[in-house]
Amino acid sequence: FHRGELESVLISAERAIALSPHNATFLAAMGNHIGWAGNMERGVAMVQKAIAINPNHPPWYHYILTDYFIRKGDHVTALGHALRLTWGLSWDYMYRTVIYARSGRMDEARTEADELREVYPDFGKEMRGEFEKYYFPDEVIGAYFETLREVGIDIPEPTN
């Protein structure tokens, strides 16, 4: 996946799913990869199935769901998923910052942004590479960065 061999990933994922369609962890992992590789609807459906199989799932199942609902503009549902992201990772705070800001809840957005800066001081400098590693489209990256800049996250413009 991270080497960009997406076709191989998708072929292998489909074979493995056929062999073990009720393995929640694998379904969720492949759902994240398939979603971020460009088939968001299929990836989200896989993660939702994984959650149905294992209601006691780990927080990371909610990353793709949070992103999906942010992209759809459904910030209420997105926030429900983002609040399940409890690992204290930069992505957790980033998603909540974006959701709160886009919902007009600027005080909460700034609080999350402060947490983000504390957890990941170089977020603005390094996050573009993180997004690209997961194949986020440029327009999605740009929209996230625009929102994050509104709450004071320093994100330099890309240099070409």
Side-chain angles (χ1 to χ4, degrees), residues 21-79:
H22 301 292
N23 182 324
T25 300
F26 184 75
L27 274 173
M30 290 302 99
N32 276 272
H33 289 328
I34 287 170
W36 281 317
N39 191 342
M40 187 65 84
E41 299 293 331
R42 171 112 166 92
V44 165
M46 291 170 68
V47 173
Q48 289 171 329
K49 180 179 177 182
I51 289 171
I53 291 168
N54 178 9
N56 233 6
H57 55 278
W60 64 264
Y61 282 34
H62 293 273
Y63 284 111
I64 191 84
L65 299 172
T66 301
D67 183 52
Y68 174 76
F69 287 106
I70 290 171
R71 292 185 195 195
K72 292 286 188 189
D74 182 349
H75 297 113
V76 171
T77 304
L79 182 59

Side-chain angles (χ1 to χ4, degrees), residues 2 12 40 46 54 60 64 83 88 92 107 112 129 140 155:
H2 292 296
S12 297
M40 187 65 84
M46 291 170 68
N54 178 9
W60 64 264
I64 191 84
L83 292 173
D92 304 2
D107 289 340
E112 292 291 336
V140 172
I155 302 171

Side-chain angles (χ1 to χ4, degrees), residues 127-148:
M127 197 61 193
R128 180 173 297 278
E130 290 294 310
F131 279 124
E132 290 171 350
K133 184 168 64 174
Y134 288 95
Y135 306 101
F136 278 59
D138 287 338
E139 64 272 8
V140 172
I141 297 170
Y144 276 140
F145 283 176
E146 181 180 324
T147 302
L148 292 165

Side-chain angles (χ1 to χ4, degrees), residues 64-156:
I64 191 84
L65 299 172
T66 301
D67 183 52
Y68 174 76
F69 287 106
I70 290 171
R71 292 185 195 195
K72 292 286 188 189
D74 182 349
H75 297 113
V76 171
T77 304
L79 182 59
H81 289 291
L83 292 173
R84 307 268 322 249
L85 301 174
T86 57
W87 286 4
L89 300 176
S90 60
W91 289 85
D92 304 2
Y93 300 110
M94 184 274 301
Y95 278 134
R96 288 191 295 269
T97 300
V98 168
I99 293 164
Y100 285 135
R102 290 184 183 177
S103 299
R105 297 166 65 174
M106 296 309 284
D107 289 340
E108 290 156 300
R110 286 185 192 96
T111 298
E112 292 291 336
D114 290 344
E115 293 288 335
L116 175 58
R117 280 188 287 271
E118 187 172 318
V119 169
Y120 195 175
D122 291 331
F123 174 87
K125 295 176 191 164
E126 298 180 13
M127 197 61 193
R128 180 173 297 278
E130 290 294 310
F131 279 124
E132 290 171 350
K133 184 168 64 174
Y134 288 95
Y135 306 101
F136 278 59
D138 287 338
E139 64 272 8
V140 172
I141 297 170
Y144 276 140
F145 283 176
E146 181 180 324
T147 302
L148 292 165
R149 285 184 183 110
E150 289 174 11
V151 294
I153 300 290
D154 182 31
I155 302 171

